């Protein structure tokens, strides 16, 4: 929406406000025309309802202003003698139009000496509203909690890590979706419906930050390709506002102006091998070969826990099968005599095997695909006897639509990709049949241009051009779990206006987070630790406990001394 449309909206809102309050201003001893002046009318209202002027500032903060409008409706009717809960509910559920009734009711009188204190219920409601406002301000502009739900950054960030994401490092975004429920993202919990209105949309604006995104930093952003209403739920595609797209967390391996290429699974930036930070733990898939069979116990011994196990079961029944379903990936065989299940690395629970008397033993395969770090593979080679351990690399390049730019004329894959230039604001490219597929989504969707291609020439917004200038910065995001991550290799660039914040702190970490509450185990070594650093990871949870205990002792002694 451009300036003209916003001018029309603001003018209409001000006219409605004037029609609903001009007599109330007269009753309060003010000139009626003062209710017709944008912004100034609200400062006058603060004097009428005897509330601080700084409340006006809150009316200009998206999302927060929705709560403030409700508060001002209630405060306005209370200033004219309507103090009951019934009146408060009437003004809320009439979307403020109850004030029109008061404005044109001849019996309405201004209460200049009204009691500014609330009833017990009113005091509770007021405290709740301002608590939500304070939490929304922190959540939107300073720090937001975030949970790692998938393994795309294993072993750098783990499934079940609870993060605090800083909004102020890169500069907090002003919400572009102003009409939305506070403290929720795109879906209302429990009822599972959309938590916002798609229109109107505010123009993108970011407050000043104190740093730019650095290469190889972990970043939280809105998934550019998001067309789902509920994460992990398959449904018909939907278009969502930028700030309501699903939150993703990846490592930014390419910054604006970089040329990125992946050669046999290794990332090169500007023709140099990408140097990762110390705590980055890159994982690839490997195939372990051994004629005597690959032991799962040996793999688990070295902390390798991402592989599959096969269990033939001789006496499977419907009841026992129902019991093991939550622990299996798939099954094999069409008869009871020829039946086996495939499980993750944890295998089948011993309790269930014993309970149902299952005749089961793991099939010792001569080869097994594992997903792990190079460090663990080297330890495995050094201490155990295997015929060979080979990193899996997709060397055969065939035309496909699976990987960016999702055109059949490109043969890039997850291990061999590019080279590709990451656009920088103000940078220019020649627009031709070679470059257009790479930057089509940027030009048309992210930067909102209408492109017509005819006879090898390009018309952008009805102007024939040969050079295109990018309007914003773009980034290249990848997961550290290289063969288990859906990232920029699949859907391309991340625009700067999609960047949400920087993860800085892990306040909780739960092993088995996706396995149900009963299987949760706290990773004590990760509690109250920073996201990125050098040396051994340190948990500051003991320090936190010492501070809490010390503070409580101080308060106890202080009270005792006062007595």
């Amino acid at each position: 929406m451009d300036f003209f449309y916003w001018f029309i909206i603001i003018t209409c809102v001000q006219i409605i406000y004037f029609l609903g309050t001009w007599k109330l201003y007269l009753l309060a001893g003010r000139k009626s025309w003062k209710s017709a002046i944008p912004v100034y009318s609200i400062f006058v209202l603060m004097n009428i309802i005897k509330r601080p002027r700084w409340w006006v500032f809150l009316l200009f903060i998206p999302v927060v202003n929705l709560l403030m409008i409700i508060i001002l409706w209630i405060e306005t009717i209370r200033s004219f003698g309507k103090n009951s809960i019934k009146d408060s509910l009437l003004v809320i559920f009439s979307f403020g139009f109850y004030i029109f009734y008061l404005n044109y009711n001849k019996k309405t009188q201004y209460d200049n000496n009204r009691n500014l204190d609330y009833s017990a219920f009113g005091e509770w409601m007021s405290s709740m509203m301002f608590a939500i406002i304070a939490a929304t301000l922190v959540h939107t502009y300073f720090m937001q909690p975030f949970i790692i739900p998938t393994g795309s950054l294993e072993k750098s960030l783990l499934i079940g890590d609870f993060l605090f994401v800083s909004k102020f490092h890169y500069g907090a975004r002003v919400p572009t979706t102003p009409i939305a429920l506070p403290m929720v993202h795109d879906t209302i919990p429990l009822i599972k419906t959309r938590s916002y209105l798609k229109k109107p949309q505010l123009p993108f604006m970011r407050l000043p930050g104190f740093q730019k995104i650095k290469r190889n930093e972990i970043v939280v952003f809105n998934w550019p390709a998001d067309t789902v209403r509920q994460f992990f739920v398959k449904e018909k595609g939907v278009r969502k506002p930028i700030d309501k797209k699903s939150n993703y967390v990846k490592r930014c391996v390419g910054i604006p102006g970089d040329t990125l290429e992946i050669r046999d699974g290794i990332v090169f930036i500007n023709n140099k091998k990408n140097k990762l930070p110390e705590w980055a733990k890159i994982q690839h898939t490997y195939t372990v070969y051994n004629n005597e069979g690959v032991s799962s116990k040996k793999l688990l011994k070295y902390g390798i826990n991402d592989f599959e196990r096969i269990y033939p079961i001789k006496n499977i029944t419907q009841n026992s099968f129902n019991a093991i379903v939550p622990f299996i990936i798939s099954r094999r065989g069409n008869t009871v005599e020829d039946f086996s299940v495939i499980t993750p690395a944890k295998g089948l629970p011993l309790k269930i095997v014993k309970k149902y008397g299952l005749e089961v033993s793991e099939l010792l395969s001569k080869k097994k695909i594992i997903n792990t770090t190079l460090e663990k593979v080297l330890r495995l080679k050094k201490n155990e006897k295997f015929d060979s351990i080979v990193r899996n690399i997709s060397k055969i390049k065939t035309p496909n639509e699976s990987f960016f730019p999702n055109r059949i004329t490109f043969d890039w894959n997850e291990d061999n990709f590019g080279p590709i230039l990451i656009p920088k604001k103000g940078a220019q490219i020649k627009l031709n049949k070679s470059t257009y597929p790479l930057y089509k989504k940027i030009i048309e969707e992210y930067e909102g241009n209408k492109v017509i291609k005819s006879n090898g020439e390009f018309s952008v917004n009805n102007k024939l051009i040969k050079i295109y200038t990018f309007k914003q910065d773009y980034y290249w995001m990848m997961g550290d779990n290289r063969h288990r991550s859906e990232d920029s290799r699949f859907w391309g660039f991340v625009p700067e206006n999609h960047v949400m914040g920087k993860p800085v702190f892990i306040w909780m970490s739960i092993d088995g987070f996706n396995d149900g509450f009963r299987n949760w185990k706290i990773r004590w070594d990760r509690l109250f630790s920073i996201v990125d650093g050098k040396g051994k990871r340190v948990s500051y949870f003991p320090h936190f406990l010492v501070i809490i205990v010390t503070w409580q002792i101080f308060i106890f002694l202080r009270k005792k001394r006062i007595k």
Side-chain angles (χ1 to χ4, degrees), residues 508-527:
M508 172 62 74
S509 186
I510 297 175
D511 189 21
F513 179 73
N514 292 331
D515 298 335
F517 178 77
R518 292 182 178 180
N519 298 304
W520 285 9
K521 294 180 181 178
I522 295 175
R523 304 184 185 104
W524 295 101
D525 61 322
R526 296 181 70 84
L527 260 63

Side-chain angles (χ1 to χ4, degrees), residues 482-504:
R482 291 287 196 252
H483 291 158
R484 300 281 194 275
S485 174
E486 184 180 304
D487 49 39
S488 286
R489 293 170 295 177
F490 293 86
W491 35 256
F493 307 103
V494 175
E496 195 273 336
N497 62 5
H498 283 58
V499 173
M500 193 180 90
K502 177 180 180 177
V504 293

Side-chain angles (χ1 to χ4, degrees), residues 2-3 13 43 52 60 158 314 349 527 531 540:
D2 59 23
F3 175 79
V13 169
F43 279 102
F60 292 91
L158 309 181
K314 296 180 180 179
L527 260 63
V531 168
Y540 293 98

Side-chain angles (χ1 to χ4, degrees), residues 148-382:
I148 302 293
T150 65
S152 69
L153 277 170
E154 297 264 347
K155 299 290 185 177
S156 302
L157 289 179
L158 309 181
I159 296 173
D161 278 348
F162 289 64
L163 310 176
F164 281 138
V165 177
S166 165
K167 300 291 188 72
F168 56 83
H169 273 75
Y170 306 138
R173 293 180 307 182
V174 175
T176 57
T177 307
I179 303 178
L181 285 182
M183 304 298 293
V184 296
H185 190 50
D186 60 337
T187 305
I188 302 173
L190 300 179
I191 61 176
K192 303 297 182 183
T193 59
R194 200 173 67 201
S195 64
Y196 60 91
L197 296 182
K198 291 184 177 182
K199 292 182 179 180
Q201 283 289 300
L202 296 175
F204 169 73
M205 185 173 70
R206 188 182 294 278
L207 301 179
F210 62 83
Q211 72 157 95
K212 294 284 187 180
I213 296 177
K214 297 175 183 176
R215 190 182 296 117
N216 294 318
E217 280 190 329
I218 295 176
V219 178
V220 174
F221 56 93
N222 296 111
W223 180 28
D226 189 6
T227 56
V228 296
R229 183 170 56 86
Q230 298 180 50
F231 206 37
F232 296 127
V233 177
K234 292 183 178 180
E235 59 183 344
K236 186 178 179 180
V238 295
R239 294 190 67 84
K240 301 164 73 173
I242 291 171
D243 58 342
K244 294 302 176 182
K245 292 182 178 181
S246 298
N247 295 326
Y248 263 36
V249 57
K250 308 287 180 186
R251 190 177 299 279
C252 178
V253 297
I255 59 176
D258 282 348
T259 297
L260 176 140
E261 186 176 6
I262 305 174
R263 305 173 195 165
D264 290 344
I266 307 300
V267 175
F268 287 80
I269 301 294
N270 303 325
N271 215 30
K272 295 181 180 178
K273 185 177 177 180
N274 187 30
K275 187 177 181 181
L276 291 159
E278 184 178 334
W279 284 8
K281 306 295 183 184
I282 304 300
Q283 291 197 127
H284 292 94
T285 60
Y286 298 79
T287 302
V288 184
Y289 296 92
N290 193 21
N291 280 329
E292 296 179 1
V294 180
S295 169
S296 296
K297 289 183 179 180
K298 288 183 179 179
L299 297 177
L300 292 169
K301 177 182 174 182
Y302 292 93
I304 299 169
N305 53 16
D306 190 352
F307 58 89
E308 294 179 355
R309 305 171 76 169
I310 303 173
Y311 290 91
I313 303 176
K314 296 180 180 179
N315 60 336
I316 192 72
T317 64
Q318 187 62 53
N319 287 337
S320 60
F321 178 70
N322 291 339
I324 65 173
V325 162
F327 307 97
I328 69 174
I329 299 171
S330 62
R331 64 180 185 177
R332 292 180 180 177
N334 297 318
T335 63
V336 175
E337 292 77 19
D338 179 28
F339 184 86
S340 59
V341 295
I342 301 172
T343 76
K346 289 183 178 180
L348 292 173
L350 189 59
K351 287 183 179 180
I352 292 179
V353 172
K354 288 183 177 179
K355 180 179 179 180
Y356 291 93
L358 294 176
E359 296 179 26
V360 58
S361 60
E362 183 179 358
L363 182 67
L364 203 61
S365 306
K366 292 184 178 182
K367 71 174 184 178
K368 194 182 290 287
I369 296 174
I370 64 174
N371 185 45
T372 189
T373 62
L374 178 60
E375 178 187 6
K376 290 183 178 179
V377 167
L378 293 176
R379 286 179 58 203
L380 199 62
K381 285 182 176 180
K382 182 180 179 181

